[in-house]
Amino acid sequence: MGELLGVAVLGAGHMGADHIRRLDRVVSGARVAAVADPDTARAEAALGGIGGASVHGEAEAALAAPGVDAVLIASPGPAHEEALLAAFARGLPVLCEKPMVPDPAGALRVVEAEARLGRRLAQIGFMRRYDTGYLRLKALLDGGELGRPLMLHCTHRNVSSPPHFTSAMLINSSVSHEIDAARWLLGQELTAVTVLRPASSARSPEGLADPQFVLFETERGALVDVEVFVNCGFGYQVRCEAVGETGSARIGDDHGMLVTARGRAHEEVPQDYLVRFADAYDREVQSWVDATRGGRVTGPGAWDGYAASVVAEAGVRSLESGGRVPVALAPRPGLYGPGGR
Amino acid sequence: MGELLGVAVLGAGHMGADHIRRLDRVVSGARVAAVADPDTARAEAALGGIGGASVHGEAEAALAAPGVDAVLIASPGPAHEEALLAAFARGLPVLCEKPMVPDPAGALRVVEAEARLGRRLAQIGFMRRYDTGYLRLKALLDGGELGRPLMLHCTHRNVSSPPHFTSAMLINSSVSHEIDAARWLLGQELTAVTVLRPASSARSPEGLADPQFVLFETERGALVDVEVFVNCGFGYQVRCEAVGETGSARIGDDHGMLVTARGRAHEEVPQDYLVRFADAYDREVQSWVDATRGGRVTGPGAWDGYAASVVAEAGVRSLESGGRVPVALAPRPGLYGPGGR
Amino acid sequence: MGELLGVAVLGAGHMGADHIRRLDRVVSGARVAAVADPDTARAEAALGGIGGASVHGEAEAALAAPGVDAVLIASPGPAHEEALLAAFARGLPVLCEKPMVPDPAGALRVVEAEARLGRRLAQIGFMRRYDTGYLRLKALLDGGELGRPLMLHCTHRNVSSPPHFTSAMLINSSVSHEIDAARWLLGQELTAVTVLRPASSARSPEGLADPQFVLFETERGALVDVEVFVNCGFGYQVRCEAVGETGSARIGDDHGMLVTARGRAHEEVPQDYLVRFADAYDREVQSWVDATRGGRVTGPGAWDGYAASVVAEAGVRSLESGGRVPVALAPRPGLYGPGGR
Amino acid sequence: MGELLGVAVLGAGHMGADHIRRLDRVVSGARVAAVADPDTARAEAALGGIGGASVHGEAEAALAAPGVDAVLIASPGPAHEEALLAAFARGLPVLCEKPMVPDPAGALRVVEAEARLGRRLAQIGFMRRYDTGYLRLKALLDGGELGRPLMLHCTHRNVSSPPHFTSAMLINSSVSHEIDAARWLLGQELTAVTVLRPASSARSPEGLADPQFVLFETERGALVDVEVFVNCGFGYQVRCEAVGETGSARIGDDHGMLVTARGRAHEEVPQDYLVRFADAYDREVQSWVDATRGGRVTGPGAWDGYAASVVAEAGVRSLESGGRVPVALAPRPGLYGPGGR
């Protein structure tokens, strides 16, 4: 496919460093051309001696660096809007980690800017769309074997939450994955959300509403429920069961090995999302590199980032009020198709 | 253990006939002493030539028949209240199929009558308490391995609903099993119920709200959700996952045999509750016979039948209104203990 | 079905006591009429106050006791031949625990005695034929879904072996269950056996060849392999996978509950065969009582007991020699049908 | 890591073409520098327009082409010896598809040639060592949780065999994977082999001994059994259960999705090894590229290729004779370590 794609990576934290490693060591057809981080020493460290990449303190300088063909945004969420708009201004394709933009108003500005450009440049980092299990479930639903989908039952559990994790972040950081996955699996927008609070676990930090139970309604009447429990203690578990008119299907229960010892047959449960979804991250970035080199955008786009932002914000309001909150999306620009998502 | 327990069976329909067979052919220590059904020909047929049993058109006559030591009520729900009060009047131990009494007011009258007697005579037919899976889950929860229980996720699916099944019956006939199971597993009363209506399946009869998604709150803050889908088409499935502060446990996913053929590994799904819970019914009746011969009542009692009736009635109101409906129980008579259930 | 079947139980050890409890408390239609054990105090203790049963020091006296309609033999194997012949002499139906008779010559004498009677009286206690999993596998094989059976892969593991368990007993006590199950599932006689000795586990008693790996050939070319490991340490596991021309099926891997805690999803493994096969024992005895009251013999018979004895004896010779040992059965008397087993 | 590794691919058949795609599109750090195939049109087609790669009719010419840093041998087995020796002569690192060299004498010549060089250059394509399941099982065994390994039970099933597949190829083509996996998992050489022939399936081609059941003994007394069935009809299944002194573990039974429809819960079974082991092939080649660029050899080497060849050849002799055939390895050159494999 010719020259390697030169990628500017914005942000050299945990996720940025992992993407730098992936672009350099795992993915075919790309190279790291520039890294930007306010902490340039951290950027140097993340590079780890990879040759041919420049280091910058400012995102803008990285976008302007020689050899940059595309951008991967892994900086903190509040910096995303400015970075996306700068990439659009230069006509650079972008892979932007989620959340695209945390607040709905900013997310809408990104959608509108891309719509004015008249062509799609942004892919948003909803990597579950690249997980083998989700891909099989999507294919099954689209193939019609289960009939019309009526319900999705989802589970999202983490061993423990990082410091400073808030009750709202269970919705807008954790459940945002299920928001996108539900929209994608069902091919429908979410129209309302209700957040219920069971008793919080004594193992969760004081004041954190954890677990939560979230209910989404969709435009054609399906119901999506999500247990989110970020201090479950025993592992990282992401499961999804789709129930249709003629059958059901469940992903997330498989195991790599069954061990029988000390009176029990047990399966390993992964402890971390980078383990559970390692292959999905690899496939996501490879797919983005391949499409970008071919001049295409094939993954979830700015509209998906915007819709997730609006639904998550409604969810946070429901968490606070205890009641059902309708979801109100702006009209979808023609760039994103009538029903394409 | 001495003499066989002589049982009067009231009602010779599908369930009554199955209990007659069970008392005669499966269970140890009991015999059928009398059968009552308005259709005495049906009663004769259900007996199938079992010797030593008298046939009656009236329940009262069966209770008074010679050799009757105890009563098994398998007549239609509206006849239960009168039959229970008649058995109490004669001091006869009773095993009463669910629902104990369909309306809460009648159910409360039964509770009050038994409380006035000052001793327990009634066991209610919540046979899930005798299922191996539920028993293991109860033992696990009581043993504390999962920590404090926070959520129960339940599934209740039937291949298809019988004729004349109404939207309310998904709550007061099907979900009533989960109502009792949740109270028993958690050791808590249910305090509110909300019934949600996803899009109904095109395979469900016109006008039937099927599936439904039911949410219960408990007195100590646990959340119980139930998918009930009585025309799912593919099998009879009853599953329950308990989520506690330190772990989760799931029952209802086991299989007796894994077959690999024609490109798929498959497990059989039972098509009928009498198959899925055959052993539970046998254990329930054996346990009742054993306890009764020993002069004890060990199973779910009239208070459990009353509580299920009140919760189910609140659920039906929520189905109609779409909103959350609190559950209001009468004070519990001392006969049923402070928290014993 | 009229009068209860009066059963004389011979032997009041672990298994005899369990059968006494089963006849009295679990099974319908039977009662314990007599118990015989050289240690009459042990017989009294096993009875535990059950009324209407006489106690004897000699088997012959129990068979002659009033009210005895049938016999259940649970005495040590060397006593079986005499007890079976005594029961035949009195025309009493018998349920005889395995091994029917330990040595092939004695087993053949039992077959010949029953053949001379001209009617079947004996059922042998191969209770796996009453296990739900085995029954489903048998039905699947007979139904032809897997095509012609080519292989059976079997596992037979115990937590630990009792004292005085010998290397030969892995074959003639443990694997004898697989010998009968294979003959029954396949509907074929076994024609040769080879016993291999992997390294013995350091956890097995000094001098015990444990595990062993046993290979059986059948008259129509199927191959049966059995891992037998009686000090595996972690549980009681009995599994069987049948491989046919068009598919395979596996039993023995199901679980009643999946628990996720402390980083692992685990299933309980039963520790004891009385737990794993509790229902099979109940069904076996109930089925025998029902058939006997109806004047029939429906279970595995004397020919099956004889065949198992011959194959096990060949297996022990292979264990000693390390080589393949052909199995030579006497001609099958017409009483047992041309291919019925 | 600097310059891309220029790889000469020898052989442009099914497997060679797949490796060309992998080097170009999936793996990071490598590029296709040359392709050799007697049919140069096929080589051109396999390249599919990849720039910068030369095409050759002779392997030797491809090794000498500009930009070639390493060699991937995917030509037919009989051509491997000459290609390996030519690569050794040029000091080029090699990844050689299995079988390294089909006949033991030729395989030994490769071992001796590499030993004379005094440094390792060859990695053999036993890709199961890169499969997630096998890696977990290896880690579990090495970690000691199962205690000393006593047995491996293996299954290797294909939907159907390709044309011209012979009875011997079940051993030297299919079971050769289990031969290497067993040596690697146990860290022991195999010392004897016995091949049993159950009745062949009517669905297998006339004259093909299929299935076969293969038994290996190891130097420290473990027993390895393999069911190989290359016309099983229902899917591609590779499973392995390790049994140790304190536990067992099983891989190959996981599923990506459980679907319940039409009365059955089913899991998909992959139909092809390129599906089942796609990730393993990717990891194998990425690992080889990474190690080669770092000047190291980390995977299975020439000694492993030689040992597999000797064991497979003994297996074919056992297939023909029906008896047990001892395995006689040449002394291991010091280059391959005392027990390293």
Side-chain angles (χ1 to χ4, degrees):
Chain A
M1 299 186 78
E3 289 300 295
L4 297 183
L5 185 76
V7 179
V9 177
L10 309 187
H14 185 55
M15 185 62 84
D18 195 49
H19 279 309
I20 288 169
R21 176 196 62 78
R22 184 172 287 111
L23 288 166
D24 186 52
R25 301 287 303 277
V26 179
V27 162
S28 172
R31 67 181 194 88
V32 180
V35 179
D37 198 281
D39 179 347
T40 53
R42 185 165 79 158
E44 289 283 4
L47 263 177
I50 296 173
S54 54
V55 166
H56 310 269
E58 301 285 332
E60 184 63 37
L63 300 193
V68 167
D69 304 312
V71 188
L72 194 162
I73 302 178
S75 50
H80 287 189
E81 181 181 352
E82 186 181 336
L84 282 158
L85 297 178
F88 289 174
R90 292 178 180 277
L92 291 171
V94 192
L95 176 58
C96 179
E97 271 302 324
K98 61 163 277 287
M100 179 178 81
V101 177
D103 67 294
L108 186 56
R109 284 191 294 271
V110 169
V111 163
E112 291 168 345
E114 196 182 40
R116 277 195 302 274
L117 272 182
R119 64 189 175 108
R120 291 185 52 193
L121 286 175
Q123 174 171 332
I124 311 307
F126 292 119
M127 90 293 176
R128 287 202 191 160
R129 299 194 188 192
Y130 297 90
D131 174 66
T132 306
Y134 277 93
L135 286 166
R136 293 173 75 174
L137 185 55
K138 173 68 169 162
L140 191 82
L141 286 165
D142 288 355
E145 182 168 5
L146 303 188
R148 177 191 182 194
L150 304 174
M151 288 173 283
L152 294 182
H153 304 309
C154 309
T155 313
H156 185 145
R157 296 172 182 157
N158 297 74
V159 177
S160 58
S161 56
H164 314 305
F165 212 74
T166 65
S167 296
M169 290 171 78
L170 273 78
I171 306 294
N172 58 30
S173 177
S174 300
V175 176
S176 61
H177 282 292
E178 273 76 20
I179 291 173
D180 182 69
R183 292 178 63 251
W184 173 64
L185 288 171
L186 299 173
Q188 299 179 49
E189 295 294 355
L190 307 182
T191 55
V193 52
T194 308
V195 178
L196 303 176
R197 299 174 174 225
S200 289
S201 171
R203 294 169 46 107
S204 298
E206 181 74 26
L208 192 69
D210 178 41
Q212 298 176 22
F213 195 74
V214 186
L215 294 155
F216 297 106
E217 303 164 38
T218 78
E219 54 186 331
R220 291 199 291 281
L223 189 70
V224 178
D225 59 89
V226 184
E227 177 205 314
V228 56
F229 189 4
V230 298
N231 289 279
C232 82
F234 54 78
Y236 179 72
Q237 273 194 323
V238 168
R239 305 182 303 190
C240 182
E241 180 178 27
V243 183
E245 290 182 326
T246 57
S248 72
R250 195 171 64 194
I251 59 171
D253 275 318
D254 48 323
H255 56 88
M257 179 165 63
L258 185 73
V259 180
T260 307
R262 280 168 265 131
R264 286 178 163 175
H266 65 259
E267 307 158 11
E268 300 290 326
V269 177
Q271 298 297 299
D272 188 85
Y273 69 94
L274 286 179
V275 173
R276 168 69 172 81
F277 285 115
D279 287 347
Y281 279 111
D282 291 352
R283 274 191 211 99
E284 177 197 49
V285 177
Q286 184 71 64
S287 170
W288 175 69
V289 167
D290 290 351
T292 300
R293 294 174 84 197
R296 288 167 288 112
V297 177
T298 55
W303 179 258
D304 300 299
Y306 164 70
S309 172
V310 173
V311 175
E313 194 268 346
V316 172
R317 278 192 287 133
S318 172
L319 172 70
E320 288 160 359
S321 70
R324 175 181 178 275
V325 175
V327 171
L329 294 176
R332 177 157 40 187
L335 178 64
Y336 304 107
R341 89 187 48 91
Chain B
M1 298 186 78
E3 289 300 295
L4 297 183
L5 185 76
V7 180
V9 178
L10 310 187
H14 185 55
M15 185 62 84
D18 195 50
H19 279 308
I20 289 169
R21 176 197 61 80
R22 182 172 288 111
L23 287 166
D24 185 53
R25 301 286 303 276
V26 178
V27 162
S28 172
R31 65 179 195 88
V32 181
V35 179
D37 198 280
D39 179 348
T40 52
R42 184 165 80 158
E44 289 283 3
L47 263 177
I50 296 173
S54 54
V55 166
H56 311 268
E58 301 284 332
E60 184 63 40
L63 301 193
V68 168
D69 305 310
V71 186
L72 195 161
I73 303 178
S75 50
H80 289 189
E81 182 181 350
E82 186 180 338
L84 282 158
L85 297 178
F88 289 173
R90 292 178 180 277
L92 291 172
V94 190
L95 175 58
C96 179
E97 270 303 323
K98 60 162 277 287
M100 180 178 81
V101 177
D103 68 294
L108 186 57
R109 284 191 294 269
V110 169
V111 162
E112 291 169 344
E114 196 183 39
R116 276 194 303 273
L117 270 183
R119 62 186 176 110
R120 292 185 52 193
L121 285 175
Q123 174 170 334
I124 312 306
F126 292 119
M127 90 293 176
R128 288 205 191 157
R129 300 194 188 192
Y130 297 90
D131 174 67
T132 306
Y134 276 94
L135 286 165
R136 292 172 76 174
L137 185 55
K138 173 68 170 164
L140 190 82
L141 286 166
D142 288 355
E145 182 169 4
L146 302 187
R148 178 191 181 194
L150 304 174
M151 287 172 285
L152 294 182
H153 304 308
C154 309
T155 312
H156 186 145
R157 296 172 181 157
N158 296 75
V159 176
S160 59
S161 56
H164 314 304
F165 212 74
T166 65
S167 297
M169 290 169 78
L170 272 81
I171 306 294
N172 59 29
S173 175
S174 300
V175 176
S176 62
H177 282 292
E178 273 76 21
I179 291 173
D180 183 68
R183 293 177 64 252
W184 174 64
L185 288 171
L186 299 173
Q188 300 178 48
E189 294 294 355
L190 307 182
T191 55
V193 54
T194 308
V195 177
L196 303 176
R197 299 174 174 225
S200 288
S201 171
R203 294 168 47 107
S204 296
E206 182 74 25
L208 193 69
D210 178 40
Q212 298 176 22
F213 194 73
V214 186
L215 294 155
F216 297 106
E217 303 163 39
T218 78
E219 55 187 330
R220 292 200 292 281
L223 189 69
V224 179
D225 58 88
V226 183
E227 176 205 314
V228 56
F229 189 3
V230 299
N231 288 279
C232 81
F234 53 78
Y236 180 72
Q237 272 195 322
V238 169
R239 304 181 306 189
C240 182
E241 179 179 27
V243 183
E245 291 182 324
T246 57
S248 71
R250 195 170 64 195
I251 59 170
D253 276 317
D254 48 324
H255 57 89
M257 179 165 62
L258 184 73
V259 180
T260 306
R262 279 168 267 130
R264 287 178 162 175
H266 65 258
E267 307 157 11
E268 300 289 326
V269 177
Q271 299 297 301
D272 188 85
Y273 68 95
L274 286 180
V275 173
R276 167 70 173 82
F277 286 115
D279 287 347
Y281 279 110
D282 291 352
R283 275 191 209 99
E284 177 197 50
V285 177
Q286 184 72 64
S287 170
W288 173 70
V289 167
D290 291 350
T292 300
R293 293 174 85 196
R296 288 168 288 114
V297 177
T298 56
W303 178 258
D304 300 298
Y306 164 70
S309 172
V310 174
V311 175
E313 194 268 348
V316 172
R317 279 191 286 132
S318 173
L319 171 71
E320 287 159 359
S321 71
R324 174 180 179 276
V325 175
V327 171
L329 293 177
R332 176 157 40 189
L335 177 65
Y336 303 106
R341 87 186 54 89
Chain C
M1 297 186 80
E3 289 301 294
L4 298 183
L5 185 77
V7 180
V9 178
L10 310 187
H14 185 55
M15 185 62 84
D18 195 50
H19 279 308
I20 289 169
R21 176 197 61 80
R22 183 172 288 111
L23 288 166
D24 185 53
R25 301 287 302 276
V26 178
V27 161
S28 172
R31 65 180 195 88
V32 180
V35 179
D37 198 280
D39 179 348
T40 52
R42 184 164 81 159
E44 290 282 4
L47 263 177
I50 296 173
S54 54
V55 167
H56 311 268
E58 302 285 332
E60 185 63 38
L63 301 193
V68 168
D69 305 310
V71 187
L72 194 162
I73 302 178
S75 51
H80 288 189
E81 181 181 351
E82 186 180 337
L84 282 158
L85 297 179
F88 290 172
R90 293 178 181 275
L92 291 172
V94 191
L95 175 58
C96 178
E97 271 303 323
K98 60 163 277 286
M100 180 177 80
V101 177
D103 67 294
L108 186 58
R109 285 191 294 269
V110 170
V111 163
E112 291 168 345
E114 197 182 39
R116 276 194 303 273
L117 272 182
R119 63 185 176 112
R120 292 185 51 193
L121 285 176
Q123 174 171 333
I124 311 306
F126 293 119
M127 89 294 176
R128 288 203 190 158
R129 301 195 188 191
Y130 298 90
D131 173 67
T132 307
Y134 277 93
L135 286 166
R136 292 173 75 174
L137 185 55
K138 173 68 170 163
L140 190 81
L141 286 166
D142 288 354
E145 181 169 6
L146 303 187
R148 178 191 182 193
L150 304 174
M151 287 172 284
L152 294 183
H153 304 308
C154 308
T155 313
H156 186 145
R157 296 172 182 156
N158 296 75
V159 177
S160 59
S161 56
H164 314 305
F165 212 75
T166 65
S167 297
M169 290 170 78
L170 272 79
I171 306 294
N172 59 29
S173 176
S174 300
V175 176
S176 61
H177 282 291
E178 274 76 21
I179 291 172
D180 182 68
R183 293 177 64 252
W184 174 64
L185 288 171
L186 299 173
Q188 300 178 48
E189 294 294 354
L190 307 182
T191 54
V193 53
T194 309
V195 178
L196 303 176
R197 300 175 173 223
S200 288
S201 171
R203 294 169 46 106
S204 297
E206 183 73 27
L208 192 69
D210 177 40
Q212 297 176 22
F213 194 73
V214 186
L215 294 155
F216 297 106
E217 303 163 39
T218 78
E219 55 187 329
R220 290 199 293 282
L223 189 68
V224 178
D225 59 88
V226 183
E227 176 205 315
V228 57
F229 189 3
V230 298
N231 288 280
C232 81
F234 53 79
Y236 180 72
Q237 274 194 321
V238 169
R239 305 182 305 190
C240 183
E241 179 178 28
V243 184
E245 292 182 325
T246 58
S248 71
R250 195 171 63 195
I251 59 170
D253 276 317
D254 49 324
H255 56 87
M257 180 165 62
L258 184 72
V259 180
T260 307
R262 280 168 265 129
R264 287 178 163 175
H266 65 258
E267 307 157 12
E268 301 288 326
V269 177
Q271 299 297 300
D272 188 87
Y273 68 95
L274 286 180
V275 173
R276 166 70 172 83
F277 285 114
D279 288 346
Y281 279 110
D282 291 352
R283 275 192 209 98
E284 177 197 48
V285 177
Q286 184 72 64
S287 170
W288 174 69
V289 167
D290 291 349
T292 301
R293 294 174 84 197
R296 288 168 288 115
V297 177
T298 56
W303 178 259
D304 301 297
Y306 163 70
S309 173
V310 174
V311 175
E313 194 268 347
V316 172
R317 279 192 285 133
S318 173
L319 171 71
E320 287 159 0
S321 71
R324 174 180 179 277
V325 175
V327 171
L329 293 177
R332 176 158 40 189
L335 177 65
Y336 303 108
R341 88 185 53 89
Chain D
M1 298 186 78
E3 289 301 294
L4 298 183
L5 186 76
V7 179
V9 177
L10 309 187
H14 185 57
M15 185 60 85
D18 195 49
H19 278 309
I20 289 169
R21 177 196 60 80
R22 184 172 286 111
L23 288 166
D24 185 53
R25 301 288 302 276
V26 179
V27 162
S28 172
R31 65 180 195 88
V32 180
V35 179
D37 198 281
D39 178 349
T40 53
R42 184 164 81 158
E44 289 283 3
L47 263 176
I50 296 174
S54 55
V55 166
H56 310 269
E58 302 284 332
E60 184 64 40
L63 300 193
V68 168
D69 305 312
V71 187
L72 194 162
I73 302 178
S75 49
H80 287 189
E81 181 181 353
E82 186 181 337
L84 282 159
L85 297 177
F88 289 174
R90 293 178 180 277
L92 292 171
V94 192
L95 175 59
C96 178
E97 272 303 324
K98 60 161 279 285
M100 181 177 81
V101 176
D103 67 295
L108 185 57
R109 285 191 294 268
V110 170
V111 162
E112 291 168 344
E114 196 182 40
R116 278 194 302 272
L117 272 183
R119 62 187 175 110
R120 292 184 51 192
L121 286 175
Q123 174 171 333
I124 311 307
F126 292 118
M127 90 294 176
R128 288 204 191 158
R129 299 195 189 192
Y130 297 91
D131 174 66
T132 306
Y134 277 94
L135 286 166
R136 293 172 76 174
L137 185 55
K138 172 69 170 163
L140 191 82
L141 286 166
D142 288 354
E145 182 168 4
L146 303 188
R148 176 191 183 194
L150 304 174
M151 288 172 283
L152 295 182
H153 304 308
C154 308
T155 313
H156 185 145
R157 295 172 183 157
N158 296 74
V159 177
S160 59
S161 57
H164 314 304
F165 212 75
T166 65
S167 296
M169 291 170 77
L170 273 79
I171 306 294
N172 59 29
S173 176
S174 300
V175 176
S176 62
H177 282 292
E178 272 76 22
I179 291 172
D180 182 69
R183 293 178 63 252
W184 173 65
L185 288 172
L186 299 174
Q188 299 179 49
E189 295 295 354
L190 307 183
T191 54
V193 52
T194 308
V195 178
L196 303 177
R197 301 174 172 224
S200 289
S201 171
R203 295 169 46 107
S204 298
E206 181 74 27
L208 193 69
D210 177 40
Q212 298 175 22
F213 194 74
V214 186
L215 294 155
F216 297 106
E217 303 163 39
T218 78
E219 55 186 330
R220 292 200 291 282
L223 189 68
V224 179
D225 58 88
V226 184
E227 176 205 314
V228 56
F229 188 4
V230 299
N231 289 279
C232 81
F234 55 79
Y236 180 71
Q237 273 194 322
V238 169
R239 305 182 303 189
C240 182
E241 179 178 29
V243 184
E245 291 181 326
T246 58
S248 70
R250 195 171 64 193
I251 59 171
D253 275 317
D254 48 325
H255 57 88
M257 180 165 62
L258 185 72
V259 180
T260 307
R262 279 169 267 131
R264 286 178 163 177
H266 65 259
E267 308 157 11
E268 300 289 326
V269 176
Q271 298 297 301
D272 189 85
Y273 70 94
L274 286 180
V275 173
R276 168 69 173 82
F277 285 115
D279 287 347
Y281 279 110
D282 291 352
R283 275 192 209 98
E284 177 196 49
V285 177
Q286 184 71 64
S287 171
W288 174 69
V289 167
D290 290 350
T292 300
R293 294 174 84 196
R296 288 168 287 114
V297 177
T298 55
W303 179 258
D304 301 298
Y306 164 70
S309 172
V310 175
V311 175
E313 194 267 347
V316 172
R317 278 191 287 134
S318 174
L319 172 70
E320 288 159 0
S321 71
R324 175 180 179 275
V325 174
V327 171
L329 293 177
R332 176 156 42 188
L335 177 65
Y336 304 106
R341 87 185 54 89

